Amino acid sequence: GERAGGLHKRLLLCRLCMRYLHRDEYDVLPVDIKNALRKLHRLEVPESQDGPKGTKFMRSVSQLLTRLRIANTTLARRGPLVFDVLERDRNVAWECNTRSRFFVASFERTPWSRLRRRLLQAMGYRVVDLHHWQWSRLRCKRVRFEWLRMARYHTLKDRREFGYSGLGGGEGAGAVGAETGEKLQLLHLHERAKKSLGFHIPGYFYGYEPISNMKY
């Protein structure tokens, strides 16, 4: 029943955490325990009626990626994890972070959201974070296209570090985290560059071309 399915997912999650986050402890487990966990992983448990359902956020991102000719699928399963949007040709996972993945009235992730991201990175996936407060501010479809292209390029290629700390200010901007701060600054640079051709930030050259305008 539902209790058996919930217990099965918890055990699979424990095995996944040990394999990818605590490999040393997993290697010293007895062989019979490893075999039991492996059989548990291969066991098929009937899904409950209240399974994961796609959100409007996820469907919108998937449709835009399809229009960008990036093959993707939603709600793909890898063991106990269910991906929001997963690319088919690359190990790129798009995380559509809704309000449920943050504490109330804050930018701080919940423990499950942070563990989920650590697991995806440990499994070899490139994680592209899209947050609900960012997406809701991008009203125009063209801007959303640019944002997706920029976020994907930054995740796959760009490894530059920025020292600019003037984005937004306050505790909220600092609590976003390093993984999203650079992407926010790239969007900030892109918007400012469109308004002023003479805009300059230390570490960038004058006449900087926004990443979304580059051909790749």
Side-chain angles (χ1 to χ4, degrees):
E2 294 183 1
R3 295 184 60 183
L7 179 60
H8 181 252
K9 288 182 179 179
R10 289 186 179 92
L11 292 174
L12 289 181
L13 183 61
C14 290
R15 177 177 182 265
L16 196 67
C17 291
M18 293 191 68
R19 286 189 63 198
Y20 290 100
L21 301 181
H22 305 282
R23 187 69 190 188
D24 295 336
E25 287 78 2
Y26 181 80
D27 290 337
V28 299
L29 289 176
V31 179
D32 54 346
I33 295 181
K34 289 184 180 179
N35 292 334
L37 291 174
R38 192 175 294 111
K39 290 181 181 179
L40 183 68
H41 178 74
R42 296 172 181 173
L43 181 65
E44 294 185 3
V45 177
E47 290 291 335
S48 62
Q49 296 293 335
D50 300 330
K53 298 179 181 179
T55 62
K56 183 179 179 181
F57 188 5
M58 294 166 48
R59 291 191 294 268
S60 177
V61 172
S62 177
Q63 291 172 3
L64 292 179
L65 288 177
T66 302
R67 293 189 61 180
L68 290 172
R69 298 184 179 180
I70 299 175
N72 65 89
T73 182
T74 58
L75 301 178
R77 289 185 175 274
R78 295 294 185 275
L81 296 180
V82 180
F83 292 82
D84 293 343
V85 182
L86 180 65
E87 292 190 16
R88 296 178 183 175
D89 301 329
R90 289 177 178 266
N91 286 341
V92 178
W94 294 77
E95 288 287 278
C96 303
N97 298 314
T98 57
R99 291 180 175 84
S100 61
R101 297 182 183 178
F102 298 89
F103 289 105
V104 177
S106 73
F107 294 106
E108 185 179 357
R109 291 171 178 264
T110 58
W112 164 242
S113 178
R114 284 181 284 179
L115 176 61
R116 174 188 172 91
R117 195 177 196 283
R118 285 183 60 195
L119 281 172
L120 291 179
Q121 290 178 328
M123 293 169 66
Y125 290 95
R126 300 289 184 89
V127 182
V128 184
D129 280 303
L130 301 176
H131 300 317
H132 65 89
W133 69 83
Q134 299 169 351
W135 193 255
S136 60
R137 291 175 60 185
L138 306 178
R139 303 291 184 181
C140 180
K141 186 176 293 187
R142 179 179 58 83
V143 178
R144 289 186 174 183
F145 275 124
E146 291 185 358
W147 169 253
L148 291 179
R149 283 197 295 262
M150 178 184 58
R152 187 173 187 268
Y153 176 84
H154 178 269
T155 302
L156 292 175
K157 301 293 184 181
D158 199 17
R159 291 296 178 270
R160 290 175 293 185
E161 302 231 355
F162 309 104
Y164 181 64
S165 59
L167 178 64
E171 298 180 357
V176 174
E179 72 275 4
T180 57
E182 293 180 0
K183 296 176 186 177
L184 285 171
Q185 290 171 19
L186 283 174
L187 180 63
H188 177 72
L189 282 172
H190 177 62
E191 293 299 325
R192 292 290 298 272
K194 290 195 299 185
K195 295 179 181 178
S196 175
L197 296 178
F199 178 67
H200 174 66
I201 284 182
Y204 280 89
F205 48 86
Y206 289 96
Y208 166 73
E209 183 180 4
I211 291 179
S212 59
N213 291 345
M214 295 181 180
K215 295 182 179 180
Y216 56 92

